[in-house]
Amino acid sequence: MIEFQGVSKWYGTLKVLKDISATVDKGTTIVLCGPSGSGKSTLVRTVNRLEPIQEGTITVAGADIYAKSVNVNTLRMGIGFVFQQFNLFPHLTVIDNVMLPLRRLHHQSRKEALPTALLMLERVGLADKAHALPADISGGQSQRVAIARSLILNPEVLILDEPTSALDPEMVSEVLKLLRQLSGEGMTMMCVTHEMGFAREVADRIWFLKNGELTFDAKPLVFFSPEAHPDVRGFLSAIQKNH
Amino acid sequence: MGYQLDFGKVLRGEYLDLILQGVQTTMVLFVLSWVFGLVLAIILTVVRAIEFRPTQLLVAAFVEYHRNVPVLIQLFVWYFGFAVVLPDGVNDYLNDIGAEIGYAIVALALNKAAYMSEDFRSGMRSIHPAQMEAARSMGLTYLGAMRWVILPQAWRLALPALLGQTLILFKGTSLAAGIGVAELSYQARYIEEQSFRIFEAYGIATAIYMLISFAIMWLSAVLSDRFRLRVK
């Protein structure tokens, strides 16, 4: 579904992604983890060209995303993206946020878009908040709306960049529950997160990044075992100390 | 001192007609300058937001001229200055259809556009860059993101300042008297000269300006509250 081949990226002289090659199979969930500054956010942001790369190729569904024939806006319509800070549009109600891609990208009328958007809100359990403004709902609810909005055009891939890091602890589980459900439905997902319980339970593979390098790519069973890369074991024990 | 106030003399017959015509002309100046100014301000805002240095500098120069030169001079530049570079035939035609009010609307609209575009710009600056990123990441073009995500927030954030500009514009229409537009101030002056009812003529003009200004202020308060953007 997604293939990275020799991907490198520099900010000026600083090399932030180093020759990354890896594959995301269709219908699988990849969890990316690693210390801050390791390049995991940058890596997921390259998939919809929010971050340009200087070397290597990235293909999504078989197409090179930098090919001349690929329109960046069409590419992005096929990739849902969820941010740490939700980034709901504060001037629009919840339902209008979810409907915006249908109305402005698929050019549907409000009436046409409404049933689809309501169904999507039901799916994330927030139909009763349809007419609330983003300022009037909680962080966990905001993130679920943001996920609904990112799914409304039926993307083939869902990318989540630390979706629970900005949430109060009691709201993390409601978002993880939704992601678990999506993963179970066969959504192809790449999720940057520090939630190791979620990674162990939901991920098909876990990628560990350090200093811009993909140093370890394994199934959870191996990732959490003593055979894991020493960097991974160091990282896991550091995380556990904080919990 | 022997001066007997007599408002009645100014508030009937020919003088009343002149006052009403003056109010009408003032409102035409105000509304048309506001509409054209706002449309141009939106265009200026978008052009300045696009990362292309030459057009950004052009907009900046436009804004600085209109903010740093007195409005009366701007009116003179259009009415006296611009007219001399036009062919006589064009000037004759313009004078037939009312050059004064036309030039006044152009000058006031351009001036207001400069100020309003700065208000929009400061409104836009207070929007987090992640909003643009989120809009682009769903597949909207740059202009689409502007149209549906950034500008709808920018105008709400800019609204209190824009309404302040609206009030300033309304009062500023009186400067058009300087190039002979027969709006309310011009008529008050004319009536005063004809009738020697100096206090009455300006008193009535003052009352009318205040009445409309208060209406604008009241509307501003209502609109600012109604469209306030709440960001967590």
Side-chain angles (χ1 to χ4, degrees):
Chain A
M1 190 72 212
I2 306 173
E3 203 172 341
F4 301 87
Q5 271 179 339
V7 171
S8 291
K9 177 181 172 64
W10 285 263
Y11 285 123
T13 54
L14 183 69
K15 196 170 185 181
V16 290
L17 293 178
K18 295 173 186 163
D19 193 24
I20 289 179
S21 298
T23 306
V24 181
D25 290 327
K26 193 173 167 62
T28 60
T29 297
I30 306 292
V31 162
L32 293 91
C33 62
S36 63
S38 59
K40 50 198 192 302
S41 282
T42 310
L43 183 63
V44 293
R45 287 163 60 90
T46 61
V47 178
N48 71 352
R49 287 176 52 180
L50 278 181
E51 298 282 354
I53 58 169
Q54 281 82 35
E55 255 179 44
T57 55
I58 301 172
T59 58
V60 175
D64 179 352
I65 63 167
Y66 281 96
K68 283 221 163 61
S69 58
V70 170
N71 175 298
V72 67
N73 297 313
T74 315
L75 168 78
R76 286 170 177 169
M77 282 163 69
I79 300 171
F81 203 103
V82 174
F83 298 86
Q84 182 179 351
Q85 297 293 344
F86 335 131
N87 297 342
L88 295 181
F89 305 136
H91 63 297
L92 298 175
T93 59
V94 162
I95 190 84
D96 282 317
N97 263 280
V98 176
M99 269 194 292
L100 190 130
L102 289 175
R103 296 192 61 201
R104 306 309 172 199
L105 293 164
H106 284 187
H107 306 291
Q108 293 184 7
S109 70
R110 200 185 155 78
K111 221 172 138 186
E112 287 172 307
L114 199 61
T116 321
L118 270 174
L119 217 63
M120 188 58 78
L121 273 184
E122 264 168 39
R123 205 167 146 198
V124 302
L126 286 170
D128 58 322
K129 296 287 181 192
H131 301 288
L133 281 167
D136 295 325
I137 58 176
S138 73
Q141 291 170 335
S142 294
Q143 194 58 296
R144 282 149 66 198
V145 173
I147 292 169
R149 186 175 69 177
S150 72
L151 292 174
I152 195 76
L153 296 182
N154 292 318
E156 293 186 87
V157 181
L158 183 63
I159 292 175
L160 306 109
D161 188 3
E162 303 206 28
T164 59
S165 301
L167 297 176
D168 292 333
E170 73 270 23
M171 291 170 186
V172 170
S173 65
E174 69 183 72
V175 171
L176 292 183
K177 187 178 152 216
L178 176 59
L179 297 182
R180 203 173 290 134
Q181 180 191 327
L182 288 171
S183 176
E185 289 166 11
M187 188 80 209
T188 309
M189 297 203 287
M190 288 180 78
C191 182
V192 177
T193 185
H194 295 294
E195 296 292 335
M196 287 302 117
F198 173 78
R200 184 195 294 267
E201 186 191 343
V202 177
D204 294 290
R205 297 195 76 84
I206 303 174
W207 295 2
F208 181 82
L209 280 87
K210 193 182 171 189
N211 297 328
E213 274 177 90
L214 180 57
T215 52
F216 199 61
D217 169 2
K219 293 189 167 183
L221 217 61
V222 180
F223 191 88
F224 292 102
S225 74
E227 295 116 75
H229 192 286
D231 284 347
V232 173
R233 277 181 285 140
F235 174 75
L236 289 177
S237 71
I239 280 196
Q240 265 157 13
K241 268 179 217 149
N242 295 336
H243 277 84
Chain B
M1 82 180 209
Y3 186 87
Q4 294 286 318
L5 285 179
D6 181 4
F7 282 96
K9 192 167 180 215
V10 178
L11 280 175
R12 64 173 167 255
E14 187 205 352
Y15 293 147
L16 179 63
D17 287 346
L18 289 176
I19 289 171
L20 294 178
Q21 282 167 27
V23 172
Q24 194 186 3
T25 306
T26 290
M27 292 314 284
V28 168
L29 267 178
F30 169 54
V31 172
L32 290 183
S33 308
W34 189 86
V35 171
F36 292 140
L38 185 71
V39 171
L40 183 58
I42 293 168
I43 296 168
L44 290 173
T45 309
V46 173
V47 171
R48 190 154 185 179
I50 297 170
E51 292 290 336
F52 182 61
R53 204 84 187 113
T55 49
Q56 284 181 329
L57 284 174
L58 216 62
V59 175
F62 177 90
V63 168
E64 291 315 317
Y65 166 72
H66 286 94
R67 290 203 304 182
N68 292 293
V69 173
V71 185
L72 192 57
I73 296 293
Q74 293 171 26
L75 282 159
F76 286 166
V77 165
W78 280 99
Y79 183 61
F80 298 116
F82 192 64
V84 298
V85 300
L86 290 177
D88 287 346
V90 176
N91 271 324
D92 290 344
Y93 172 73
L94 288 176
N95 285 328
D96 279 349
I97 60 164
E100 291 88 359
I101 191 160
Y103 283 125
I105 290 169
V106 169
L108 292 174
L110 294 184
N111 178 271
K112 235 7 42 171
Y115 280 96
M116 286 176 162
S117 74
E118 285 297 286
D119 293 338
F120 277 124
R121 203 158 75 93
S122 70
M124 275 178 33
R125 266 200 301 250
S126 55
I127 299 170
H128 198 281
Q131 290 280 310
M132 179 54 116
E133 192 167 66
R136 295 302 309 272
S137 80
M138 56 176 64
L140 285 169
T141 60
Y142 176 81
L143 286 178
M146 275 287 181
R147 169 71 187 83
W148 302 114
V149 176
I150 304 301
L151 287 177
Q153 294 182 55
W155 79 255
R156 282 172 173 83
L157 291 164
L159 191 61
L162 290 175
L163 292 165
Q165 291 298 340
T166 302
L167 186 61
I168 294 171
L169 171 66
F170 171 67
K171 293 180 292 180
T173 55
S174 66
L175 289 164
I179 58 168
V181 179
E183 44 66 73
L184 181 57
S185 315
Y186 181 97
Q187 300 291 23
R189 174 122 200 226
Y190 178 80
I191 292 166
E192 166 258 299
E193 281 168 350
Q194 295 295 309
S195 67
F196 303 108
R197 290 284 140 197
I198 303 163
F199 185 85
E200 292 88 333
Y202 290 127
I204 287 163
T206 301
I208 294 171
Y209 276 121
M210 275 180 83
L211 200 72
I212 300 175
S213 287
F214 281 140
I216 293 172
M217 280 167 66
W218 173 78
L219 196 65
S220 299
V222 172
L223 292 176
S224 295
D225 188 55
R226 165 72 182 75
F227 292 107
R228 193 163 49 93
L229 186 70
R230 286 187 302 131
V231 183
K232 235 192 291 195

